[in-house]
Amino acid sequence: MTDQSWPLYEVFLRGKRGLNHVHVGSLHAADPEMALHHARDLYTRRNEGVSIWVVRAADITASSPDEKDPFFKPSGDKVYRHPTFYDIPDDVPHM
Amino acid sequence: MTTTSDEDLAVLALEGRFEDTIAAMSRIEPRDWMPEAYRATMVRQIAQHAHSEIIGMQPEGNWITRAPSLRRKAILLAKVQDEAGHGMYLYSAAETLGADRADLTMRLITSRQKYSSIFNYPTLSYADVGVIGWLVDGAAICNQVPLCRSSYGPYARAMIRICKEESFHQRQGYELLLTMMRGTQAQRDMVQDATDRFWWPSLMMFGPPDDASPNSERSMRWGIKRHSNDELRQRFVDMTVPQAEKLGVTLPDPELRWNEARGHHDFGQVDWDEFKAVVSGNGPCNAQRLARRKSAHDEGAWVREAALAHAAKHGDEHPERAGVARGDKS
């Protein structure tokens, strides 16, 4: 019996032309080629995708989910980046 | 002393954030802090569910080679393939909690983790394929629709995908039965016989009665369960009675009748001794199901090893594929 298992791949699907690829889940495969075939069989049995990306889960670098993490802090206090920050009289057209 | 107290405070803060997320009906995501009991409960529930889908391929898989027509064979193949897919979605969700898929498989085939008791009953005729779609998948849908709102994100997302596909399962089963009921008397008898055998085990799929279900309160609070076992069982009975009438079969329960005052159907007592026996390994097919799963795993070992050896040897030999992927990026 094998004691070494196939690595984990994360799967991203483009549902149709014009949309971004979206993460849908993961699967195990021996290599990227097999991961693509497995992803097709597992995640597109009902025409859910027109394009698939697979990437080794170990190759993904992710931000920390901890809310105390100051990572997203810089955008928190910059309300002036949003259009609603600016008062414009109602009678100014096309704005 | 100071250190301990700081750590305690930190854990309290983490617990507070976890409880707030649940209270806001938001979702817990894989790398969030969560109480160990939540993680363990979630892994156990998702793994059991995954195992059920995988073992659930067997009772119906038995009939693929003996399907009565090419149309029925194609449908049954697609359905059994879906069950495999559902198992894969769920193992994938369990892995986001730190579980290891190979380890979960070992836990299944060494009986350290369970699967749904319903799959330990034999499928004796082709009508069973229809009744499993109608009653067993119907009960599964009742159980699973509320799980689309599970507090654990990856599980909820897997359940949404699964529920969409289960709808095909139930409808193909009911249509199969309608077809048989329009056939010969012998075919109608087969449908009634299959209904008689699967009705009570289907009611057992909702788990023990509420007063004997130990972890329910905490599971409700944590958004792991959304309805009690008895509530879901009642909902299933109420949904199924008119379907049985339309089909023209009798549900095998002399106490089953509409209760105007409750606005629900009353029904008889489930044989919980039978349920306990089947869950603890003494159902008609427990040993056969596990042996089959174990042999598939053992006999697949050389394929897994060969694929790894091939990958090690030809690892970086697909530059054209890499080029396509790069060109495709947006």
Side-chain angles (χ1 to χ4, degrees), chain B residues 53 86 89-90 144 158-166:
Chain B
E53 300 282 357
H86 297 176
Y89 305 155
L90 291 162
Q144 291 172 358
M159 291 315 308
I160 289 171
R161 195 175 274 272
I162 288 172
C163 284
K164 276 187 196 160
E165 300 182 355
E166 289 288 353

Side-chain angles (χ1 to χ4, degrees), chain B residues 36-289:
Chain B
E36 270 316 303
Y38 178 89
R39 184 185 299 275
T41 305
M42 231 41 250
V43 168
R44 194 180 62 235
Q45 181 177 340
I46 298 173
Q48 276 187 20
H49 192 165
H51 298 330
S52 300
E53 300 282 357
I54 296 300
I55 296 290
M57 291 192 283
Q58 292 185 35
E60 292 181 279
N62 285 342
W63 285 96
I64 290 174
T65 55
R66 287 166 288 172
S69 69
L70 197 52
R71 178 175 182 270
R72 292 292 168 196
K73 181 181 282 205
I75 292 169
L76 187 53
L77 269 171
K79 181 177 187 248
V80 172
Q81 192 185 16
D82 273 354
E83 309 295 359
H86 297 176
M88 296 297 118
Y89 305 155
L90 291 162
Y91 284 130
S92 166
E95 281 184 300
T96 65
L97 290 159
D100 174 75
R101 195 176 305 212
D103 175 58
L104 295 178
T105 300
M106 287 314 292
R107 284 171 188 271
L108 168 64
I109 60 186
T110 55
S111 296
R112 280 176 292 155
Q113 281 179 338
K114 296 188 191 310
Y115 55 89
S116 177
S117 58
I118 191 77
F119 302 116
N120 291 315
Y121 291 88
T123 42
L124 304 180
S125 84
Y126 208 77
D128 290 19
V129 172
V131 166
I132 287 176
W134 171 40
L135 294 180
V136 175
D137 293 319
I141 290 170
C142 254
N143 260 332
Q144 291 172 358
V145 166
L147 295 177
C148 296
R149 294 182 293 119
S150 164
S151 61
Y152 188 58
Y155 188 43
R157 292 191 284 275
M159 291 315 308
I160 289 171
R161 195 175 274 272
I162 288 172
C163 284
K164 276 187 196 160
E165 300 182 355
E166 289 288 353
S167 171
F168 140 61
H169 296 181
Q170 194 188 22
R171 290 172 68 102
Q172 66 82 32
Y174 196 76
E175 186 237 34
L176 191 165
L177 297 177
L178 282 171
T179 308
M180 288 187 81
M181 292 302 282
R182 287 194 297 264
T184 63
Q185 186 58 44
Q187 287 175 310
R188 282 189 287 278
D189 291 345
M190 284 165 72
V191 175
Q192 183 62 57
D193 173 64
T195 305
D196 290 346
R197 283 182 288 109
F198 277 96
W199 172 249
W200 291 106
S202 299
L203 294 188
M204 294 175 196
M205 288 174 67
F206 298 92
D210 292 351
D211 51 21
S213 185
N215 293 320
S216 279
E217 191 273 327
R218 193 179 65 184
S219 291
M220 291 277 204
R221 187 162 48 82
W222 275 348
I224 292 173
K225 272 178 104 145
R226 295 292 186 189
H227 303 279
S228 79
N229 297 352
D230 286 334
E231 274 171 45
L232 291 169
R233 195 168 5 251
Q234 180 72 60
R235 183 180 297 179
F236 174 69
V237 171
D238 290 338
M239 280 168 47
T240 307
V241 167
Q243 295 169 350
E245 280 167 14
K246 186 78 189 160
L247 197 56
V249 295
T250 308
L251 297 173
D253 179 359
E255 294 174 53
L256 183 65
R257 63 179 58 85
W258 177 251
N259 182 327
E260 190 65 45
R262 288 203 310 127
H264 290 291
H265 292 86
D266 290 337
F267 54 98
Q269 177 71 32
V270 175
D271 182 351
W272 293 114
D273 290 337
E274 177 183 323
F275 174 73
K276 276 181 210 132
V278 177
V279 165
S280 55
N282 298 314
C285 299
N286 296 55
Q288 179 192 333
R289 301 290 187 235

